[in-house]
Each structure stands twice: as C-alpha cells, then as structure tokens.
Short mmCIF file of all heavy atoms in Angstrom, two decimals:
data_model
loop_
_atom_site.label_atom_id
_atom_site.label_comp_id
_atom_site.label_asym_id
_atom_site.label_seq_id
_atom_site.Cartn_x
_atom_site.Cartn_y
_atom_site.Cartn_z
N GLY A 1 0.79 -1.20 -0.02
CA GLY A 1 -0.01 0.05 0.02
C GLY A 1 0.85 1.24 0.01
O GLY A 1 0.53 2.23 -0.70
N HIS A 2 1.90 1.30 0.77
CA HIS A 2 2.80 2.44 0.87
C HIS A 2 3.45 2.65 -0.44
O HIS A 2 3.55 3.82 -1.00
CB HIS A 2 3.82 2.29 1.99
CG HIS A 2 3.35 2.65 3.29
ND1 HIS A 2 2.62 1.76 4.06
CD2 HIS A 2 3.37 3.76 4.03
CE1 HIS A 2 2.24 2.34 5.21
NE2 HIS A 2 2.68 3.59 5.19
N ALA A 3 3.98 1.57 -1.05
CA ALA A 3 4.67 1.65 -2.37
C ALA A 3 3.66 2.07 -3.48
O ALA A 3 3.92 2.93 -4.36
CB ALA A 3 5.35 0.41 -2.78
N PHE A 4 2.50 1.55 -3.40
CA PHE A 4 1.40 1.90 -4.42
C PHE A 4 1.09 3.37 -4.24
O PHE A 4 0.90 4.06 -5.25
CB PHE A 4 0.19 1.03 -4.20
CG PHE A 4 -0.82 1.16 -5.29
CD1 PHE A 4 -0.52 1.29 -6.60
CD2 PHE A 4 -2.21 1.10 -4.95
CE1 PHE A 4 -1.56 1.45 -7.59
CE2 PHE A 4 -3.20 1.27 -5.85
CZ PHE A 4 -2.85 1.46 -7.19
N PHE A 5 0.87 3.83 -2.98
CA PHE A 5 0.54 5.29 -2.80
C PHE A 5 1.62 6.15 -3.41
O PHE A 5 1.24 7.20 -3.95
CB PHE A 5 0.25 5.59 -1.36
CG PHE A 5 -0.10 7.07 -1.24
CD1 PHE A 5 -1.35 7.53 -1.68
CD2 PHE A 5 0.76 7.97 -0.69
CE1 PHE A 5 -1.69 8.89 -1.59
CE2 PHE A 5 0.50 9.30 -0.65
CZ PHE A 5 -0.71 9.79 -1.07
N ALA A 6 2.88 5.77 -3.24
CA ALA A 6 3.94 6.59 -3.85
C ALA A 6 3.73 6.73 -5.36
O ALA A 6 3.92 7.79 -5.92
CB ALA A 6 5.30 6.02 -3.56
N GLY A 7 3.29 5.68 -5.99
CA GLY A 7 2.94 5.73 -7.42
C GLY A 7 1.73 6.56 -7.74
O GLY A 7 1.77 7.32 -8.71
N ILE A 8 0.79 6.53 -6.89
CA ILE A 8 -0.40 7.40 -7.02
C ILE A 8 0.01 8.83 -6.89
O ILE A 8 -0.32 9.75 -7.69
CB ILE A 8 -1.47 7.05 -5.98
CG1 ILE A 8 -2.07 5.66 -6.31
CG2 ILE A 8 -2.57 8.13 -5.96
CD1 ILE A 8 -2.91 5.10 -5.22
N ARG A 9 0.85 9.17 -5.87
CA ARG A 9 1.31 10.53 -5.67
C ARG A 9 2.04 11.03 -6.88
O ARG A 9 1.89 12.14 -7.31
CB ARG A 9 2.23 10.56 -4.38
CG ARG A 9 2.70 12.00 -4.03
CD ARG A 9 3.66 11.98 -2.88
NE ARG A 9 4.85 11.22 -3.29
CZ ARG A 9 5.43 10.17 -2.59
NH1 ARG A 9 4.88 9.86 -1.42
NH2 ARG A 9 6.44 9.52 -3.04
N ASP A 10 2.99 10.16 -7.39
CA ASP A 10 3.78 10.57 -8.57
C ASP A 10 2.82 10.84 -9.74
O ASP A 10 3.02 11.75 -10.60
CB ASP A 10 4.78 9.50 -8.90
CG ASP A 10 5.90 9.40 -7.93
OD1 ASP A 10 6.06 10.33 -7.09
OD2 ASP A 10 6.61 8.38 -7.92
N PHE A 11 1.87 9.98 -9.94
CA PHE A 11 0.88 10.09 -11.02
C PHE A 11 0.15 11.44 -10.92
O PHE A 11 -0.01 12.25 -11.89
CB PHE A 11 -0.16 8.97 -11.03
CG PHE A 11 -1.22 9.08 -12.08
CD1 PHE A 11 -0.86 8.70 -13.43
CD2 PHE A 11 -2.46 9.48 -11.85
CE1 PHE A 11 -1.87 8.78 -14.44
CE2 PHE A 11 -3.42 9.54 -12.77
CZ PHE A 11 -3.12 9.20 -14.09
N ALA A 12 -0.29 11.80 -9.70
CA ALA A 12 -0.99 13.10 -9.45
C ALA A 12 -0.03 14.24 -9.75
O ALA A 12 -0.47 15.20 -10.45
CB ALA A 12 -1.54 13.18 -8.01
N LYS A 13 1.21 14.17 -9.38
CA LYS A 13 2.17 15.23 -9.68
C LYS A 13 2.30 15.34 -11.18
O LYS A 13 2.36 16.51 -11.73
CB LYS A 13 3.49 14.89 -9.01
CG LYS A 13 3.60 15.20 -7.59
CD LYS A 13 5.04 14.89 -7.10
CE LYS A 13 5.17 15.06 -5.59
NZ LYS A 13 6.53 14.75 -5.16
N GLN A 14 2.47 14.24 -11.92
CA GLN A 14 2.71 14.29 -13.34
C GLN A 14 1.41 14.93 -14.05
O GLN A 14 1.58 15.52 -15.07
CB GLN A 14 2.89 12.87 -13.91
CG GLN A 14 4.19 12.26 -13.50
CD GLN A 14 4.22 10.74 -13.81
OE1 GLN A 14 3.23 10.21 -14.39
NE2 GLN A 14 5.28 10.12 -13.41
N ARG A 15 0.24 14.86 -13.44
CA ARG A 15 -0.97 15.42 -14.01
C ARG A 15 -1.16 16.83 -13.55
O ARG A 15 -2.11 17.51 -13.84
CB ARG A 15 -2.17 14.54 -13.62
CG ARG A 15 -2.07 13.08 -13.94
CD ARG A 15 -2.38 12.73 -15.37
NE ARG A 15 -3.70 13.20 -15.81
CZ ARG A 15 -4.08 13.07 -17.05
NH1 ARG A 15 -3.38 12.42 -17.93
NH2 ARG A 15 -5.33 13.46 -17.40
N GLY A 16 -0.21 17.40 -12.76
CA GLY A 16 -0.30 18.78 -12.38
C GLY A 16 -1.01 19.05 -11.16
O GLY A 16 -1.41 20.15 -10.77
N PHE A 17 -1.24 18.02 -10.23
CA PHE A 17 -1.96 18.27 -8.98
C PHE A 17 -1.03 18.29 -7.86
O PHE A 17 -0.03 17.57 -7.84
CB PHE A 17 -2.95 17.03 -8.76
CG PHE A 17 -4.11 17.04 -9.74
CD1 PHE A 17 -3.97 16.36 -10.94
CD2 PHE A 17 -5.23 17.65 -9.51
CE1 PHE A 17 -5.00 16.31 -11.89
CE2 PHE A 17 -6.33 17.71 -10.36
CZ PHE A 17 -6.19 17.00 -11.62
N ASP A 18 -1.36 19.14 -6.88
CA ASP A 18 -0.53 19.25 -5.70
C ASP A 18 -1.27 18.85 -4.47
O ASP A 18 -0.81 19.07 -3.38
CB ASP A 18 0.04 20.70 -5.59
CG ASP A 18 -1.04 21.74 -5.43
OD1 ASP A 18 -2.18 21.41 -5.33
OD2 ASP A 18 -0.65 22.93 -5.50
N ARG A 19 -2.47 18.24 -4.66
CA ARG A 19 -3.26 17.77 -3.55
C ARG A 19 -3.98 16.54 -3.89
O ARG A 19 -4.52 16.39 -4.99
CB ARG A 19 -4.29 18.86 -3.15
CG ARG A 19 -5.10 18.61 -2.00
CD ARG A 19 -5.99 19.82 -1.71
NE ARG A 19 -6.83 19.64 -0.54
CZ ARG A 19 -6.35 19.91 0.70
NH1 ARG A 19 -5.23 20.43 0.91
NH2 ARG A 19 -7.15 19.64 1.74
N ILE A 20 -4.05 15.62 -2.95
CA ILE A 20 -4.78 14.36 -3.12
C ILE A 20 -5.80 14.30 -1.91
O ILE A 20 -5.40 14.55 -0.81
CB ILE A 20 -3.89 13.08 -3.05
CG1 ILE A 20 -2.97 13.14 -4.25
CG2 ILE A 20 -4.71 11.78 -3.11
CD1 ILE A 20 -1.89 12.03 -4.27
N GLU A 21 -7.01 13.95 -2.22
CA GLU A 21 -8.02 13.80 -1.19
C GLU A 21 -8.67 12.46 -1.30
O GLU A 21 -8.70 11.84 -2.39
CB GLU A 21 -9.11 14.92 -1.23
CG GLU A 21 -8.54 16.30 -1.01
CD GLU A 21 -9.58 17.39 -0.94
OE1 GLU A 21 -10.84 17.01 -0.83
OE2 GLU A 21 -9.29 18.56 -0.98
N LEU A 22 -9.24 12.04 -0.15
CA LEU A 22 -10.10 10.77 -0.14
C LEU A 22 -11.05 10.92 0.95
O LEU A 22 -10.93 11.69 1.79
CB LEU A 22 -9.25 9.50 -0.10
CG LEU A 22 -8.28 9.42 1.14
CD1 LEU A 22 -9.05 8.87 2.37
CD2 LEU A 22 -7.17 8.39 0.79
N ASN A 23 -12.08 10.07 0.89
CA ASN A 23 -12.90 9.87 2.06
C ASN A 23 -12.86 8.42 2.49
O ASN A 23 -12.63 7.55 1.62
CB ASN A 23 -14.36 10.42 1.85
CG ASN A 23 -15.15 9.61 0.87
OD1 ASN A 23 -15.52 8.54 1.25
ND2 ASN A 23 -15.39 10.17 -0.35
N MET A 24 -13.25 8.13 3.68
CA MET A 24 -13.22 6.74 4.19
C MET A 24 -14.27 6.60 5.25
O MET A 24 -14.80 7.54 5.80
CB MET A 24 -11.87 6.39 4.82
CG MET A 24 -11.43 7.31 5.90
SD MET A 24 -10.29 6.47 7.14
CE MET A 24 -11.21 5.18 7.69
N TRP A 25 -14.58 5.36 5.54
CA TRP A 25 -15.61 5.07 6.49
C TRP A 25 -14.94 4.90 7.89
O TRP A 25 -13.91 4.26 8.02
CB TRP A 25 -16.41 3.83 6.09
CG TRP A 25 -17.20 4.14 4.87
CD1 TRP A 25 -16.83 4.00 3.59
CD2 TRP A 25 -18.55 4.68 4.89
NE1 TRP A 25 -17.85 4.38 2.76
CE2 TRP A 25 -18.91 4.79 3.56
CE3 TRP A 25 -19.40 5.02 5.86
CZ2 TRP A 25 -20.15 5.37 3.20
CZ3 TRP A 25 -20.66 5.52 5.50
CH2 TRP A 25 -21.00 5.66 4.16
N GLU A 26 -15.56 5.44 8.85
CA GLU A 26 -14.97 5.49 10.24
C GLU A 26 -14.75 4.08 10.79
O GLU A 26 -13.85 3.93 11.60
CB GLU A 26 -15.96 6.33 11.15
CG GLU A 26 -15.26 6.87 12.41
CD GLU A 26 -14.22 7.88 12.21
OE1 GLU A 26 -14.23 8.56 11.08
OE2 GLU A 26 -13.48 8.12 13.09
N PHE A 27 -15.53 3.09 10.44
CA PHE A 27 -15.35 1.77 10.98
C PHE A 27 -14.06 1.13 10.47
O PHE A 27 -13.52 0.17 11.13
CB PHE A 27 -16.52 0.83 10.59
CG PHE A 27 -16.58 0.51 9.09
CD1 PHE A 27 -15.75 -0.44 8.55
CD2 PHE A 27 -17.45 1.20 8.27
CE1 PHE A 27 -15.75 -0.70 7.17
CE2 PHE A 27 -17.50 0.93 6.92
CZ PHE A 27 -16.71 -0.02 6.32
N ASN A 28 -13.49 1.63 9.43
CA ASN A 28 -12.31 1.00 8.86
C ASN A 28 -11.03 1.51 9.47
O ASN A 28 -10.22 2.30 8.92
CB ASN A 28 -12.29 1.21 7.37
CG ASN A 28 -11.39 0.24 6.59
OD1 ASN A 28 -10.45 -0.34 7.20
ND2 ASN A 28 -11.62 0.16 5.29
#
C-alpha cells in the first residue's frame, strides 16, 4: 500500500496536481 501510494502521488504530480483527497468510513 505504501509503495502503491507513492505511485499514485507521482501520477498526481505528473498530471499537475498538488493535492490528493479521499474519504473513508470510520469503521475501517
């Protein structure tokens, strides 16, 4: 998950984004 998120972060940067957001369920 950590390695995958690094790839997601790099993808977002390549697309010109400087922010990533998500929502999650409190039970998790």
Side-chain angles (χ1 to χ4, degrees):
H2 280 83
F4 186 42
F5 179 73
I8 293 169
R9 184 187 60 230
D10 292 346
F11 180 78
K13 282 182 184 178
Q14 290 167 4
R15 306 279 304 176
F17 292 90
D18 58 9
R19 182 178 184 87
I20 298 173
E21 295 187 14
L22 59 80
N23 71 71
M24 58 152 300
W25 291 90
E26 201 68 20
F27 68 80
N28 198 341

